[in-house]
């Protein structure tokens, strides 16, 4: 379905008889009936024995949870050493989409979709914004918050930056906020900030902030409650232990993209798709149906983060999407802040006409050694450092697209920093 078709169908729904709530549900269900024909899920198709237990596959699922074809002796486990989604999973029509109602939490329904990591971002963006499907308002800005997941304890002052800074800036600009959308770490903090903002804001301004969760399908707790091959309108989703961090969906988000790579209980399966979606959105125009004169600005915001988040960062920087590094939030953010502050003025590599070959190599070696020293300081327990250090050293010019947000600046400066980052990308 293209944008034109979506708009036309949206007009038919708006101009037709609305009837009672049952009629509206039927219209919503009909408008999404095509989704399983286009959107796919991923299923492990090859059992690759886990090194810790012969009863588990490296995809994370038990042997008994695999179809017979997946555990058939078509491949030798002596040959297959490492499970890869692209090679060892296959696509099938999605069986989880529609609307979700958080039992006991809110009467408002949120949209959700289980999709393969290889799904085209253009198709997903149409589902998000088409009036006849999900109908989210097109963003004037996208802030993608990365890091601060799993067992990360988000610092109090960072919570205030999210609560009083990010959501306020997003409300004033008509932005989308992207996180994992799970009830843990930064995802939970953003959800709480959106909730508090909604409680204090008018109904008019409430619609200007869209919180979108992009999470790995196989990591979501109680995901079986969302499964229905015909779609759910709505699915009843029961959340437990809401006072503690967990991988349940957060009820303060308007929509969820649950990215499936065929694995169970693993993080990172959504990374590639999320980066491609951000890139696609950054190439779209602002305004109603893309009628504006400028591309939609996209900014990634790094809070804490593990060392392997560098790979995620690299995907965006190569597409010239700027990053805002929250210095003092811990982890990778502190390491990159250190690099930005102390190594950004590292000497440039001389031109081919200056000096001998040894002189040409010296600045690069010096920079790499300095990066390695700081990397070891921030990640003392990290064992595989060579590739990550090499990546930072090689991407030194790209990392200049990142800006530092310091605690001393306070939450009131975030909106200015966001817009400065956007202008820097355009220059």
């Amino acid at each position: 379905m293209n944008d034109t078709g979506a708009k036309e169908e949206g007009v038919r729904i708006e101009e037709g008889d609305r009837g009672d709530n049952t009629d509206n549900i039927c219209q919503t269900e009909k408008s999404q009936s095509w989704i399983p024909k286009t959107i796919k899920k991923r299923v492990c198709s090859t059992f690759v024995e886990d090194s810790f237990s012969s009863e588990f596959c490296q995809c994370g699922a038990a042997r008994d949870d695999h179809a017979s074809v997946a555990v058939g002796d078509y491949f030798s486990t002596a040959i297959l050493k490492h499970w890869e989604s692209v090679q060892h999973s296959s696509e099938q029509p999605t069986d989880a989409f529609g609307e979700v109602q958080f039992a006991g939490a809110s009467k408002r329904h949120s949209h959700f979709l289980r999709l393969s990591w290889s799904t085209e971002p253009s198709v997903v963006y149409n589902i998000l914004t088409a009036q006849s499907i999900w109908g989210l308002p097109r963003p004037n800005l996208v802030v993608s918050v990365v890091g601060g997941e799993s067992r990360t304890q988000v610092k109090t002052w960072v919570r205030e930056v999210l609560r009083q800074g990010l959501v306020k800036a997003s409300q004033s600009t008509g932005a989308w906020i992207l996180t994992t959308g799970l009830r843990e770490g930064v995802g939970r903090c953003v959800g709480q900030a959106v909730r508090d903002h909604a409680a204090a804001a008018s109904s008019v301004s409430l619609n200007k902030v869209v919180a979108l969760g992009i999470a790995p399908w196989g990591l979501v707790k109680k995901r079986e409650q969302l499964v229905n091959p015909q779609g759910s309108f709505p699915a009843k989703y029961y959340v437990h232990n809401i006072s503690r961090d967990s991988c349940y969906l957060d009820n303060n988000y308007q929509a969820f993209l649950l990215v499936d790579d065929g694995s169970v209980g693993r993080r990172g399966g959504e990374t590639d798709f999320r980066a491609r979606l951000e890139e696609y959105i950054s190439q779209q125009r602002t305004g109603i149906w893309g009628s504006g004169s400028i591309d939609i600005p996209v900014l990634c915001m790094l809070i804490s983060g593990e060392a392997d988040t560098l790979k995620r960062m690299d995907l965006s920087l190569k597409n010239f999407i700027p990053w805002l590094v929250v210095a003092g939030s811990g982890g990778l953010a502190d390491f990159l802040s250190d690099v930005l502050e102390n190594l950004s003025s590292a000497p440039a590599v001389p031109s081919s006409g200056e000096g001998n070959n040894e002189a040409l190599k010296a600045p690069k070696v010096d920079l790499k050694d300095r990066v390695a020293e700081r990397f070891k300081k921030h990640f003392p327990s990290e064992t595989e450092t060579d590739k990550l250090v090499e990546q930072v050293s090689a991407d030194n010019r790209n990392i200049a697209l990142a800006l530092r947000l310091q605690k001393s600046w306070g939450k009131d400066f975030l909106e200015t920093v966001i817009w400065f980052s956007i202008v820097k990308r355009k220059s």
Side-chain angles (χ1 to χ4, degrees):
M1 181 184 295
N2 56 32
D3 282 356
T4 303
K7 285 190 284 187
E8 290 175 351
E9 188 166 348
V11 170
R12 288 198 297 272
I13 290 177
E14 289 180 353
E15 293 179 351
D17 295 332
R18 299 211 175 253
D20 56 20
N21 188 54
T22 302
D23 292 335
N24 290 335
I25 293 175
C26 290
Q27 287 176 337
T28 302
E29 186 171 354
K30 183 178 180 181
S31 71
Q32 298 188 36
S33 61
W34 59 273
I35 285 181
K37 301 175 184 177
T38 303
I39 305 298
K40 308 299 180 182
K41 66 177 182 178
R42 280 199 170 262
V43 177
C44 180
S45 56
T46 306
F47 185 93
V48 181
E49 188 175 296
D50 188 87
S51 59
F52 296 101
S53 172
S54 61
E55 292 305 310
F56 280 85
C57 175
Q58 290 183 22
C59 75
R63 183 185 295 270
D64 293 342
D65 293 334
H66 288 71
S68 58
V69 66
V71 296
D73 192 21
Y74 302 111
F75 300 91
S76 171
T77 54
I79 298 175
L80 293 176
K81 296 295 185 180
H82 185 63
W83 187 91
E84 294 285 352
S85 176
V86 67
Q87 297 178 14
H88 305 135
S89 68
S90 58
E91 292 187 337
Q92 298 178 8
T94 189
D95 59 1
F97 65 97
E99 297 176 354
V100 55
Q101 181 178 5
F102 293 84
S106 172
K107 294 182 179 180
R108 178 178 59 80
H109 296 176
S110 300
H111 305 283
F112 75 95
L113 173 65
R114 177 186 185 182
L115 68 158
S116 168
W117 59 263
S118 59
T119 307
E120 287 296 324
S122 58
V123 176
V124 176
Y125 188 66
N126 178 67
I127 292 173
L128 292 168
T129 58
Q131 293 180 22
S132 62
I133 311 177
W134 289 8
L136 300 180
R138 294 194 174 214
N140 294 319
L141 164 71
V142 172
V143 180
S144 183
V145 186
V146 179
E149 300 160 5
S150 189
R151 298 181 179 88
T152 302
Q153 185 67 35
V154 182
K155 298 180 180 180
T156 302
W157 72 268
V158 177
R159 291 174 180 267
E160 285 304 305
V161 167
L162 295 173
R163 184 189 304 272
Q164 301 293 338
L166 176 61
V167 173
K168 179 182 177 182
S170 299
Q171 186 273 323
S172 65
T173 56
W176 286 5
I177 304 175
L178 274 55
T179 77
T180 62
L182 301 178
R183 298 183 67 89
E184 62 169 13
V186 166
R188 181 169 188 166
C189 292
V190 169
Q192 292 171 339
V194 170
R195 177 200 63 196
D196 295 345
H197 173 77
S202 66
S203 59
V204 176
S205 62
L206 176 60
N207 294 326
K208 292 184 179 181
V209 179
V210 172
L212 174 62
I214 305 180
W217 164 262
L219 191 66
V220 176
K221 295 284 188 182
K222 300 297 181 182
R223 58 188 177 278
E224 65 275 5
Q225 298 177 5
L226 306 175
V227 174
N228 184 342
Q230 285 73 48
S232 301
F233 303 94
K236 296 284 187 178
Y237 188 71
Y238 295 87
V239 179
H240 304 286
N241 296 324
I242 59 175
S243 62
R244 295 186 299 176
D245 277 13
S246 65
C247 290
Y248 287 99
L249 299 180
D250 191 293
N251 63 291
N252 296 299
Y253 286 72
Q254 285 91 331
F256 300 92
L257 298 174
L258 307 178
V259 184
D260 194 358
D261 69 348
S263 70
V264 176
R266 300 200 322 187
R267 296 181 183 273
E270 84 290 0
T271 298
D272 180 74
F273 172 80
R274 181 169 168 179
R276 289 189 293 116
L277 178 64
E278 292 164 2
E279 179 190 8
Y280 178 81
I281 294 176
S282 72
Q283 297 169 353
Q284 307 309 301
R285 296 298 180 91
T286 57
I288 300 175
W289 298 108
S291 59
S293 59
I294 63 171
D295 294 340
I296 298 173
V298 176
L299 171 69
C300 293
M301 183 176 182
L302 178 64
I303 295 176
S304 187
E306 302 296 330
D308 60 5
T309 309
L310 272 171
K311 301 173 185 176
R312 164 70 175 87
M313 191 173 188
D314 185 56
L315 291 173
S316 298
L317 289 175
K318 285 180 177 177
N319 294 319
F320 302 102
I321 292 177
W323 281 69
L324 177 62
V325 176
V326 182
S329 61
L332 183 63
D334 284 3
F335 164 68
L336 290 175
S337 176
D338 190 354
V339 171
L340 288 167
E341 183 177 15
N342 298 302
L343 303 185
S344 59
S345 59
V349 178
S351 64
S352 58
E354 297 177 17
N356 55 32
N357 290 336
E358 293 302 317
L360 289 174
K361 295 177 182 178
K364 282 189 174 181
V365 174
D366 179 59
L367 175 61
K368 185 176 178 180
D369 288 345
R370 292 161 68 188
V371 170
E373 180 184 352
R374 282 167 167 77
F375 192 90
K376 186 176 181 179
K377 172 186 174 183
H378 289 277
F379 299 100
S381 60
E382 187 70 34
T383 56
E384 299 180 3
T385 62
D386 289 347
K387 288 184 178 180
L388 295 173
V389 170
E390 184 70 35
Q391 183 177 325
V392 174
S393 303
D395 285 352
N396 190 43
R397 181 175 297 179
N398 281 343
I399 290 176
L401 284 169
L403 291 175
R404 300 169 66 245
L405 175 65
Q406 302 180 72
K407 178 181 178 180
S408 60
W409 292 359
K411 57 186 179 294
D412 296 333
F413 286 90
L414 181 57
E415 187 170 0
T416 302
V417 172
I418 285 175
W419 283 111
F420 183 78
S421 302
I422 293 165
V423 171
K424 187 169 185 177
R425 175 178 182 262
K426 298 299 180 181
S427 60

